[in-house]
């Protein structure tokens, strides 16, 4: 038996021997915990731990999972004041960065001149006067270099990009994440979803945001590289926490209906096609002052040529990236961009792009898998309800 | 009854002229959690190297190739409902297919247990 070339979502396209793989401050710990390490975006990363992907996925949904996401890019955008820095980033994205309040985070996209997505990223505005003029960015590992070039090329003289290379990024995700983290960093407990705050974890200065990419409540902790292992060990010492690999991270984000860059969105897809128009706030849509605005505004008005949809398959056989989507008569109408077995649903799910005529919820389609046609239905996303933390009104 | 192995991590036991084929423990460990198994129809003629089954783990699909020429005489339908059996008992209850061999001499080209063990150590 051999492995098909369908692990693209989990493995770098770079051959193992071409360039030495980078490690993260947690690589030794992963090895100690029995991880299976694979090349991913130029890094040696844990795809799974001994418990296996299904158990890790369930653990994250039930308790709390610890993820090493140190391969992702962290960077500061630094200008003379908030308005200047926000305006600089607005020239590259369709989001309202200027409206970002101190201590808040936002999901956005970098656009090319054709309205295609260069990357999706998180941007947060620190609290505190001292950090006025600074925005913190977290970008995808595989897109780091392209992003930094794109951003640097688009900045005015008084704003600069400062990639951060001495910090690790740890995600703690799941319904018990808040309680677990609060034992070490009490301030984390009452943060709202998409809040970002500097605080101490057992006396170590860390940046914490209440966000993640699993559909669960959770946090991402940007920590000094040297403190990553003690912090990870402190969290893992809690019996509610288990180490989780990239395999489960992928199945969790798929169930949550979230896009994986390079698969579900790329330089050819627009935010309208990708069904992430929520990144474009009203002021920016009205102003039309972002790269590729002509195309994007036209798609908003007339509808896109293709649209990302969720698909639920009958039976148990999963459809993977690249599978053709057909109408019930066998006519090609699109292609799967992410697909797999949804552990929470115990059923195969997929997302892909279809002709808008076939994008309505409930539309019956078929997915071509190994010369067979598997029946599927367009369903709303997320596939599994998101459980982000909403602060109770007081 | 001796068991033979392929370099692609299939095991084969032969009873008379019928071979039972599955994947090795090493293979299931590499695959991780199996969530779906697609088996061939009974009666299908297969030649050595043909795709005979597909195993889907959470991460990926992997093909299982026919290790010998013959005709599929039985498929293990239990795996359709309980694919996780491949992880639990790969070299026992979770066999994939039984193939009526057309040329038993092809067995001679396959590895015995010791040779397969050495093959694994070389990986």
């Amino acid at each position: 038996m051999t492995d098909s070339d369908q692990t693209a979502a989990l493995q770098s396209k770079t051959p193992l021997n071409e360039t030495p793989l980078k490690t993260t401050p947690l690589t030794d710990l992963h090895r100690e915990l029995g991880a299976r390490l694979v090349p991913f975006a130029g890094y040696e990363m844990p795809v799974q731990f001994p418990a296996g992907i299904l158990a890790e996925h369930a653990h994250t949904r039930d308790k709390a999972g610890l993820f090493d996401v140190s391969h992702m890019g962290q960077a500061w955008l630094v200008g003379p004041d908030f308005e200047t820095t926000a305006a600089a980033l607005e020239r590259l994205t369709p989001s309202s960065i200027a409206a970002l309040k101190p201590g808040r985070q936002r999901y956005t996209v970098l656009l090319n001149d054709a309205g295609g997505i260069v990357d999706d990223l998180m941007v947060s505005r620190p609290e505190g006067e001292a950090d006025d003029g600074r925005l913190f960015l977290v970008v995808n590992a595989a897109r780091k270099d392209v992003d930094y070039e794109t951003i640097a090329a688009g900045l005015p003289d008084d704003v600069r990009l400062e990639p951060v290379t001495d910090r690790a990024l740890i995600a703690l995700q799941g319904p018990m994440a808040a309680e677990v983290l609060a034992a070490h960093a009490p301030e984390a407990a009452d943060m709202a979803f998409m809040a970002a705050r500097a605080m101490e974890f057992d006396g170590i200065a860390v940046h914490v945001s209440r966000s993640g990419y699993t559909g669960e409540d959770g946090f991402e902790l940007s920590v000094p590289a040297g403190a990553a292992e003690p912090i990870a060990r402190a969290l893992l010492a809690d019996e509610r926490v288990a180490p989780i690999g990239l395999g489960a991270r992928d199945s969790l984000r798929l169930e949550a209906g979230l896009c994986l860059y390079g698969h579900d969105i790329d330089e050819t897809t627009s935010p309208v096609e990708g069904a992430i128009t929520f990144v474009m706030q009203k002021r920016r849509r009205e102003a039309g002052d972002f790269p590729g605005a002509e195309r994007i505004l036209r798609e908003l008005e007339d509808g896109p040529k293709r649209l990302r949809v969720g698909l639920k398959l009958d039976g148990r056989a999963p459809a993977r990236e690249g599978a053709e989507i057909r109408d019930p008569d066998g006519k090609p109408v699109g292609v799967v961009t992410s697909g797999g077995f949804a552990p929470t649903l115990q059923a195969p799910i997929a997302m892909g792009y279809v002709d808008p005529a076939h994008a309505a919820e409930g539309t019956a389609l078929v997915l071509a898998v190994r010369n067979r046609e598997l029946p599927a239905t367009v369903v709303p996303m997320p596939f599994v309800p998101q459980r982000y933390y909403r602060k109770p009104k007081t | 009854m001796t068991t033979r192995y392929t370099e692609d991590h299939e095991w084969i036991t032969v009873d008379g002229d019928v071979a039972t084929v599955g994947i090795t423990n090493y293979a299931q460990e590499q695959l991780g959690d199996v969530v779906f198994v697609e088996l061939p129809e009974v009666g299908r003629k297969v030649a050595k190297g043909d795709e005979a089954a597909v195993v889907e783990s959470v991460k990926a699909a992997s093909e299982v190739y026919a290790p010998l020429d013959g005709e599929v005489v039985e498929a293990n339908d239990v795996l359709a409902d309980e694919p996780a059996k491949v992880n639990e008992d790969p070299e026992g209850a979770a066999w994939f297919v039984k193939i009526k061999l057309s040329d038993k001499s092809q067995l001679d080209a396959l590895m015995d247990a010791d040779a397969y063990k050495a093959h694994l150590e070389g990986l």
Side-chain angles (χ1 to χ4, degrees):
Chain A
M1 54 170 288
T2 60
D3 220 12
S4 295
D5 183 28
Q6 294 183 335
T7 46
L10 296 172
Q11 291 186 3
S12 156
K13 283 170 185 157
T14 315
L16 187 61
N17 298 325
E18 204 163 85
T19 43
L21 292 170
K22 287 178 250 182
T23 57
T24 81
L26 294 176
T27 305
D28 289 346
L29 178 60
H30 300 323
R31 209 166 260 133
E32 180 186 317
L33 295 170
R36 181 179 301 169
L37 297 161
V38 299
F40 180 83
Y43 286 80
E44 189 175 23
M45 297 297 290
V47 65
Q48 66 174 83
F49 290 87
I53 295 175
L54 292 178
E56 291 169 30
H57 183 111
H59 188 96
T60 306
R61 290 259 181 261
D62 294 341
K63 295 178 179 173
L66 181 91
F67 303 75
D68 179 12
V69 284
S70 302
H71 58 313
M72 298 185 78
Q74 306 182 58
W76 287 102
L77 201 58
V78 184
D81 51 58
F82 173 68
E83 288 69 27
T84 307
T85 311
L89 190 55
E90 285 199 353
R91 279 201 280 276
L92 301 163
T93 76
S95 304
S96 179
I97 308 297
L100 201 57
K101 293 188 171 63
R104 294 295 299 168
Q105 185 176 45
R106 179 160 277 176
Y107 173 77
T108 187
V109 292
L110 287 176
L111 292 172
N112 61 30
D113 289 337
I117 300 170
V118 176
D119 198 8
D120 58 340
L121 66 154
M122 286 291 207
V123 50
S124 50
R125 180 181 179 185
E127 296 178 304
E129 298 268 314
D131 285 324
D132 188 50
R134 292 166 74 86
L135 290 170
F136 184 64
L137 312 179
V138 177
V139 306
N140 281 303
R143 300 298 288 173
K144 234 184 274 188
D145 296 344
V146 176
D147 291 348
Y148 293 167
E149 275 172 38
T150 304
I151 295 169
L155 292 178
D157 290 342
D158 55 350
V159 180
R160 65 185 189 279
L161 181 76
E162 293 179 357
V164 172
T165 53
D166 58 352
R167 297 184 78 82
L169 196 64
I170 295 169
L172 187 67
Q173 301 280 298
M176 297 182 181
E179 263 184 64
V180 169
L181 182 56
H184 304 273
E187 290 170 78
D190 70 339
M191 290 173 76
F193 178 58
M194 296 298 267
R197 199 182 284 177
M199 65 183 72
E200 287 193 349
F201 181 107
D202 294 347
I204 302 161
V206 298
H207 301 291
V208 175
S209 66
R210 194 157 199 167
S211 59
Y213 221 59
T214 61
E216 293 296 323
D217 181 23
F219 301 84
E220 287 191 350
L221 286 72
S222 172
V223 309
E229 197 178 307
I231 288 174
R233 284 188 192 276
L235 291 168
L236 288 167
D238 191 309
E239 62 179 16
R240 294 167 290 186
V241 180
I244 311 295
L246 292 178
R249 186 169 170 84
D250 192 51
S251 53
L252 289 159
R253 72 91 204 160
L254 178 60
E255 285 186 343
L258 300 169
C259 293
L260 181 62
Y261 193 86
H263 303 267
D264 307 302
I265 47 175
D266 60 29
E267 291 207 30
T268 72
T269 51
S270 75
V272 184
E273 292 177 329
I276 51 171
T277 51
F278 64 87
V279 302
M280 302 187 283
Q281 280 77 30
K282 192 169 169 233
R283 173 173 66 80
R284 302 299 311 281
R285 294 186 196 200
E286 286 173 359
D289 57 349
F290 44 84
E294 193 194 336
R295 168 195 179 180
I296 289 169
L297 296 176
R298 189 178 64 237
E299 288 178 352
L300 281 171
E301 182 77 17
D302 304 337
K305 289 199 179 68
R306 55 181 174 170
L307 189 62
R308 183 174 63 98
V309 296
L311 297 159
K312 195 159 181 188
L313 287 81
D314 295 353
R316 278 189 72 95
R320 309 283 179 177
E321 180 176 5
E324 190 171 84
I325 306 174
R326 299 173 183 161
D327 72 11
D329 297 328
K331 185 182 147 240
V333 295
V335 64
V336 169
T337 51
S338 277
F341 187 79
T344 306
L345 304 172
Q346 287 292 303
I349 57 173
M351 52 173 85
Y353 282 83
V354 295
D355 179 318
H358 297 87
E361 191 182 322
T363 304
L365 295 168
V366 291
L367 306 182
V369 176
R370 295 186 292 272
N371 304 318
R372 291 199 304 147
E373 291 193 332
L374 308 178
T377 309
V378 176
V379 295
M381 291 185 283
F383 299 96
V384 172
Q386 289 161 345
R387 293 195 288 187
Y388 304 136
Y389 177 72
R390 306 290 172 186
K391 223 169 171 172
K393 292 238 159 44
T394 47
Chain B
M1 200 157 55
T2 57
T3 304
R4 301 280 178 160
Y5 300 86
T6 70
E7 289 185 356
D8 293 329
H9 310 292
E10 288 117 355
W11 57 262
I12 299 104
T13 58
V14 181
D15 185 7
D17 58 357
V18 174
T20 302
V21 179
I23 66 169
T24 64
N25 187 55
Y26 172 85
Q28 73 79 20
E29 279 180 2
Q30 291 299 307
L31 284 170
D33 297 315
V34 171
V35 295
F36 178 74
V37 179
E38 184 178 300
L39 297 168
E41 283 166 29
V42 170
R44 198 172 114 190
K45 296 263 200 308
V46 291
K48 183 177 176 174
D50 284 357
E51 182 185 308
V54 177
V55 193
E56 299 258 8
S57 70
V58 196
K59 310 185 292 195
S62 304
E63 289 95 27
V64 177
Y65 298 106
L68 302 156
D69 296 351
E71 180 185 331
V72 176
V73 291
E74 199 177 340
N76 189 359
D77 293 327
V78 172
L79 300 183
D81 297 323
E82 297 176 70
K85 273 209 181 307
V86 176
N87 296 116
E88 291 156 16
D89 194 8
E91 300 189 24
W95 55 274
F96 279 37
V97 286
K98 296 191 183 198
I99 296 174
K100 189 174 178 197
L101 302 178
S102 50
D103 178 5
K104 280 185 78 170
S105 73
Q106 287 181 327
L107 280 166
D108 301 339
L110 302 178
M111 290 180 277
D112 63 13
D114 288 341
Y116 181 64
K117 194 167 166 240
H119 172 65
L120 287 183
E121 280 162 5
L123 291 180

